[in-house]
Amino acid sequence: MEREIGRSKRGRRVYAFDDIAVVPSRRTRDPQDVSTTWSIDAYQFDIPVLAAPMDSVVSPATAIAMGRLGGLGVLDLEGLWTRYENPEPLLAEIRELPEGAATVRMQQIYAEPVKPELVTARLAEIRASGVTVAGSLSPQRTQELYETVVAAGVDLFFIRGTTVSAEHVSKTVEPLNLKKFIYDLDVPVVVGGAATYTAALHLMRTGAAGVLVGFGGGAASTTRATLGIHAPMATAVADVAGARRDYLDESGGRYVHVIADGGLGTSGDIVKAISVGADAVMLGTALARATDAPGGGYHWGPEAHHSQLPRGNRVRVGAVAPLEQILFGPSPVADGTANLMGALRRSMATTGYSDLKEFQRIEVVVAPYAAR
């Protein structure tokens, strides 16, 4: 429903997760009877959680830990682990940087080139553990490094940026032909971010196995302040889920997974993301709070160290509990930052739904108050 902004401009009213709430149905269930499993292509997972490809969240060790806990850790293949043989001292330095100096020093640290042999080594380390292997590149580096990534034995390949479109236009460089790239590749590709019905539908038509939904909504992002761009996540996920439904009909039954990526700080946000159509969630801040996360209580994304226009900060998120406790409890806090899957199970049980696909059909209301 559009509203008048001024005489020459109208805008649609959209909603963030804080603006909505789920509503119980006529039945309830026991939490232990609820299923949180989901699958993408040939890969099945016990929980609908992907760890975001950020150096403060995913190292090879935490990718392995996520896999063993039933989720998926996605390694940033342009991060410190593929630039330095031993990035631990640099991670420690980033944690200790004074606030006013963090951006400049991080730009210097990340100026070190990505080394293909380290890409191979890090993915091999994850593969040797027996878990599903996933790595992420930005659209700008995909053409350069994808052959190395595929040769290393990646199972799921992510092309993740602030925004990814099926129609990038450039007067100076040959853009990545996403449809041809995905067709030629022998592994499932997940692409994003996307924040609108049209953009998501175009990405689905390229053959992507999944679409990441989100733009400038994370705790470490300043995209809204620097570029004036923001997509409130409840509406964005629901719009992309609408594109998935229509593409399912258009393609004769091809299902593309919708993964909410951004603005998911608590278990309640995860519940709401699935309620408006997400198949799974990609978590940054929520997992950066783990005591065994690489960021050590700090969180930052790749936008924070952009060489020309940083659009993120290194933020202190604190350390709440070990990763396993963040996901499965018991929770030492009552604010929705730990036992994320226990909360999801309880919400599904309380509202009467037995699995994630059913839960996507739950009644949602616009809440007339701030949720937190």
Side-chain angles (χ1 to χ4, degrees), residues 78-79 82-84 107-115 141:
E78 299 170 48
T82 59
R83 296 175 192 262
Y84 295 92
Q107 287 174 317
Q108 295 168 349
I109 290 171
Y110 282 91
E112 180 73 15
V114 172
K115 299 174 178 62
R141 302 297 290 273

Side-chain angles (χ1 to χ4, degrees), residues 224-277:
R224 185 174 187 176
T226 54
L227 301 184
I229 303 172
H230 179 57
M233 284 293 287
T235 296
V237 173
D239 281 349
V240 175
R244 176 187 61 203
R245 175 201 61 211
D246 292 348
Y247 179 71
L248 189 69
D249 292 338
E250 174 188 304
S251 64
R254 184 173 181 271
Y255 189 91
V256 179
H257 294 82
V258 173
I259 302 168
D261 179 14
L264 295 151
T266 66
S267 54
D269 295 330
I270 296 170
V271 166
K272 294 173 189 181
I274 295 171
S275 77
V276 293

Side-chain angles (χ1 to χ4, degrees), residues 112-136:
E112 180 73 15
V114 172
K115 299 174 178 62
E117 65 272 18
L118 287 178
V119 172
T120 300
R122 304 311 185 196
L123 292 174
E125 180 182 347
I126 299 170
R127 175 161 294 284
S129 73
V131 304
T132 302
V133 184
S136 175

